[in-house]
Amino acid sequence: MNRIEDIVLRHADREGPLLPILHDVQAEIGAVDAATETRIAELLNLTRAEVHGVVSFYHDFTAKADPRPVVQVCRAEACQARGIEAMMRGAENAAGDRVRIETVYCLGLCSVGPNARIGDDLHARLDSDALAKLVEEA
Amino acid sequence: MSTVRISDDAVARACGADRVSDAFAKLGWTVERVSSWGMHWLEPLAEVNGVGWGPVTPDRVAEIAEGGADDLCIGPVAVHPFIASQQRLTFARAGKTRPLSLDDYANSGGWAGLDRARAIGSEQVLAEMAQSGLRGRGGAGFPAGIKWQTVAKAPGDRKYVVCNADEGDSGTFADRMVMEGDPFALIEGMAICAHAVGAGQGYVYLRSEYPDAIAKMNAAIDLAAERIAPFRMEVRVGAGAYVCGEETSLLNSLEGKRGEVRAKPPLPAIAGLFGQPTVVNNVLTLAAVPHILAEGGAAHYDALGLGRSKGTMPIQIAGNVRHGGLYETAFGVTLRELVYDIGGGTASGRPVKAVQVGGPLGAYLHPDQFDIAFGYEEYAGADALIGHGGIVVFDDSADMAAMARFAMEFCAAESCGKCTPCRIGSVRGMEIIERILAGGRKADAVEVLPQMHNVRDADRSLEDQVALLEDLCETMKFGSLCALGGFTPYPVLSALRHWPEDFGLTKQAVPA
Ligand code: SF4
Ligand code: FES
């Protein structure tokens, strides 16, 4: 649990530090589970319910770690206009159980879609083959 | 040795700009990474002595280096019709400067606004902001000058400037382009605001979907720290909640709470972040400020535009369009010009069916409506909104009933949960649209449970379902606390009115 304390300390002098703390926990530990929520609550002098309420509100935080590689696919309107929906089945087949495909609503690349993100790498102008290949190589 | 300029904007990088840069570097060229001109269909765009080639792939680099590859050459970039026909204020530096170069910024007129603001004092800055007529570019179009005056006058121990950089709307990317391409302009705008209202601390609330913008803003704030002192700035990263683009839920999120929308009053200008007077402005609003404050800017700004829609609007052309990108122009341009003349029609080459303006909460406009002029009032008059200035083009393969259903689904997924019309209504909305698509509904087992005494026993006709959907949309419009629940009816009802056939309906079934 020392890692949690380190992370909390790192942000201690910020105003309203909970979000940056949760981002670091999610990135370094892979999830924000119940025990972590309790520990963060103690350190910040909040109730666990308050911390849990925040964790469960945001899409970026998960209660359970999932070690699989993630491919984020944009399925918002501009990417739909360029045919992303018809490409999803192929991507899901390519993913199987090995890769997690996550839906995001807009990566801000709407003029060159359909688009996907893996880690901090962005991929534009995808077609079915390119998307399936991205998933296979993730 | 030769130099090539290539953008390091996220669109350029997603299209392969890094690989193209590497290929030039391998040939011994100097590669200068600059901001994007906004001609996204040409990215990655390589510029040598002002002449552009695009879209470039690594295997064409050697040819370009020798002055060949004529099929990719677009001639001098600065006079390309897409650029030459614009009126660029906010994006005046786009394509021209290195985003993190303080020298480039200062040499292109940077800091003139802040210096002048410091010289003329807070009162005068507030007066000029009001005179400029600048309206918030985030959606509602509230005059920025009035907001600033309220914060300046409000009593409080501390005051804040918060930049809403939670650009979650599909089809919008102008905020991202400012932050990645011209981050000092946003910083300067915030520093001017802080000076005018007496704020010591500023936050840029930036969505986690924009990793490049986060990195650029952090770096730029470090570089500019001395220049803007004693004002301090920090980037705060969101956590994937669309509703946090709503100013009061953004403030809750910044405080480390659930991003639930707050009821107004109190206005954030009176009691905002941590209960203190707070200016919340969008990226484009704040980035427009340096120009306004630099000599003569206010009058210049006021002279541009249409009616009460002052100045320029960076319009983001996206979706199924040939020439997608960023196009900044004075208000008043029509959708017809944007879609056909500037955007070049659809990328697929098929006829245009619909254009959604203003993000996922904006109406779908039918080609019959393409002559409406771009302006807040003009769009409101057509039951539409310009929002953040994004336009998304759809060709005739689009299924508008599916898009209407998606609008409800999106609202259900992103609702903050605070009010019933939005939280429950969006789910019910999906169901009703599904029933319309299924051709109405029989009074089925679910509907006639024995304990239900007031259930109707007749089947519901298609017309009944349509009436129910319209009724629900009314309830959402007027009963929701914020734009998510309140504006979702725009895409739904516009799709229903203009393309009833996609819902399996005839025109008569849908009252205008
Ligand atoms: S309309 Fe929806 S998102 Fe907005 S406050 Fe109500 S429940 Fe929350
Ligand atoms: S809609 Fe897909 S990147 Fe914006």
Side-chain angles (χ1 to χ4, degrees):
Chain A
M1 274 296 143
N2 258 342
R3 281 166 86 188
I4 310 283
E5 269 154 50
D6 287 348
I7 292 171
V8 172
L9 268 179
R10 201 183 296 164
H11 299 287
D13 56 349
R14 296 177 114 173
E15 298 178 298
L18 187 52
L19 235 50
I21 289 171
L22 293 176
H23 269 304
D24 282 4
V25 171
Q26 179 74 39
E28 291 173 31
I29 303 175
V32 190
D33 62 15
T36 308
E37 282 178 5
T38 307
R39 189 73 191 112
I40 294 172
E42 281 165 13
L43 291 165
L44 292 183
N45 204 13
L46 298 168
T47 65
R48 174 170 171 229
E50 282 171 296
V51 177
H52 180 70
V54 173
V55 171
S56 56
F57 184 84
Y58 297 98
H59 299 306
D60 284 3
F61 307 132
T62 53
K64 257 217 205 119
D66 186 337
R68 293 179 295 171
V70 178
V71 178
Q72 293 186 314
V73 180
C74 175
R75 295 172 75 177
E77 285 87 346
C79 286
Q80 288 188 35
R82 294 178 88 112
I84 186 62
E85 290 310 304
M87 296 159 52
M88 286 312 293
R89 187 187 280 274
E92 272 149 18
N93 286 341
D97 292 332
R98 192 185 65 81
V99 176
R100 185 154 54 99
I101 296 191
E102 233 178 59
T103 295
V104 286
Y105 293 121
C106 195
L107 296 165
L109 313 170
C110 328
S111 48
V112 290
N115 306 303
R117 172 181 172 188
I118 301 175
D120 283 348
D121 290 333
L122 301 166
H123 303 269
R125 294 183 187 135
L126 297 171
D127 55 23
S128 299
D129 294 344
L131 179 61
K133 193 160 161 253
L134 269 186
V135 171
E136 273 156 23
E137 290 170 2
Chain B
M1 191 53 59
S2 321
T3 302
V4 58
R5 294 152 70 88
I6 297 171
S7 168
D8 61 356
D9 171 279
V11 156
R13 296 190 59 214
C15 294
D18 293 351
R19 290 191 300 279
V20 172
S21 296
D22 290 347
F24 273 105
K26 265 209 196 100
L27 295 179
W29 283 49
T30 306
V31 183
E32 219 169 63
R33 299 301 291 265
V34 290
S35 48
S36 170
W37 284 97
M39 296 190 281
H40 291 163
W41 76 97
L42 293 172
E43 293 287 8
L45 177 71
E47 194 182 328
V48 183
N49 295 327
V51 175
W53 282 263
V56 180
T57 44
D59 56 319
R60 303 297 302 273
V61 164
E63 277 170 81
I64 295 170
E66 282 153 22
D70 289 347
D71 56 319
L72 298 182
C73 188
I74 59 160
V77 181
V79 299
H80 187 283
F82 187 84
I83 301 294
S85 59
Q86 298 190 40
Q87 288 170 294
R88 288 196 156 179
L89 297 178
T90 304
F91 282 88
R93 284 186 194 86
K96 299 177 185 163
T97 53
R98 290 167 293 177
L100 291 176
S101 163
L102 278 170
D103 287 342
D104 284 9
Y105 189 65
N107 293 337
S108 55
W111 309 120
L114 180 59
D115 289 343
R116 185 159 167 276
R118 284 175 170 159
I120 61 179
S122 142
E123 288 284 312
Q124 182 66 21
V125 174
L126 292 171
E128 289 191 15
M129 278 300 292
Q131 186 215 336
S132 76
L134 176 67
R135 291 168 74 167
R137 291 292 183 259
F142 192 80
I146 295 181
K147 210 183 247 186
W148 290 22
Q149 269 162 357
T150 311
V151 174
K153 278 201 221 104
D157 325 331
R158 312 185 298 281
K159 289 176 186 177
Y160 294 98
V161 179
V162 171
C163 170
N164 182 348
D166 194 77
E167 180 177 59
D169 286 356
S170 166
T172 63
F173 41 79
D175 291 355
R176 182 187 60 66
M177 287 185 68
V178 167
M179 293 187 285
E180 292 177 6
D182 200 6
F184 297 126
L186 172 58
I187 293 172
E188 184 181 356
M190 287 180 73
I192 293 170
C193 178
H195 173 71
V197 304
Q201 174 75 39
Y203 287 100
V204 178
Y205 185 91
L206 221 173
R207 61 201 300 260
S208 58
E209 290 86 344
Y210 283 0
D212 288 30
I214 294 168
K216 280 268 180 60
M217 279 314 300
N218 273 319
I221 288 172
D222 282 348
L223 287 168
E226 228 170 283
R227 196 70 178 69
I228 60 171
F231 179 57
R232 295 173 312 276
M233 279 177 64
E234 186 183 321
V235 170
R236 207 40 89 80
V237 179
Y242 174 80
V243 74
C244 289
E246 189 70 29
E247 67 175 1
T248 55
S249 67
L250 184 153
L251 293 174
N252 275 332
S253 185
L254 248 175
E255 291 179 7
K257 300 181 185 144
R258 293 164 70 85
E260 272 169 0
V261 175
R262 298 177 186 169
K264 293 192 239 183
L267 291 173
I270 309 286
L273 190 60
F274 302 107
Q276 305 296 322
T278 304
V279 173
V280 186
N281 274 154
N282 171 262
V283 175
L284 295 180
T285 316
L286 290 162
V289 169
H291 174 80
I292 292 172
L293 259 290
E295 205 75 57
H300 179 48
Y301 208 78
D302 186 50
L304 283 174
L306 175 77
R308 292 200 292 123
S309 304
K310 293 295 182 198
T312 61
M313 185 75 190
I315 296 166
Q316 300 123 84
I317 306 174
N320 192 340
V321 65
R322 257 175 69 198
H323 299 157
L326 183 116
Y327 193 89
E328 182 173 356
T329 183
F331 284 98
V333 62
T334 67
L335 215 45
R336 192 175 303 287
E337 294 170 274
L338 287 168
V339 172
Y340 296 105
D341 305 343
I342 300 160
T346 61
S348 60
R350 302 172 66 105
V352 176
K353 177 165 182 173
V355 175
Q356 187 176 33
V357 185
L361 311 177
Y364 286 99
L365 296 176
H366 188 276
D368 291 349
Q369 300 171 286
F370 281 7
D371 290 314
I372 305 171
F374 219 82
Y376 293 99
E377 279 71 27
E378 289 72 15
Y379 268 66
D383 248 336
L385 39 118
I386 63 175
H388 193 35
I391 74 171
V392 176
V393 180
F394 291 81
D395 73 8
D396 63 351
S397 67
D399 174 352
M400 301 313 292
M403 298 317 296
R405 188 193 171 284
F406 175 75
M408 285 291 188
E409 184 184 346
F410 182 77
C411 181
E414 298 296 329
S415 171
C416 87
K418 189 150 180 154
C419 43
T420 320
C422 167
R423 186 185 64 240
I424 310 280
S426 52
V427 178
R428 292 289 174 258
M430 279 162 62
E431 293 169 359
I432 301 171
I433 294 172
E434 276 161 19
R435 270 183 251 141
I436 293 176
L437 291 174
R441 183 182 189 176
K442 300 258 176 279
D444 58 18
V446 178
E447 213 162 341
V448 289
L449 292 178
Q451 56 270 51
M452 294 177 170
H453 298 299
N454 53 358
V455 69
R456 51 183 288 165
D457 47 16
D459 291 352
R460 285 189 222 236
S461 67
L462 262 181
E463 285 72 19
D464 288 344
Q465 298 290 347
V466 171
L468 193 60
L469 182 60
E470 298 200 324
D471 202 35
L472 175 75
C473 282
E474 284 296 286
T475 307
M476 289 177 73
K477 239 184 193 169
F478 297 106
S480 297
L481 193 55
C482 84
L484 182 53
F487 289 179
T488 293
Y490 281 106
V492 174
L493 290 180
S494 57
L496 184 67
R497 294 236 156 94
H498 298 304
W499 297 274
E501 61 283 2
D502 285 10
F503 292 76
L505 300 167
T506 54
K507 282 254 189 274
Q508 293 77 13
V510 183

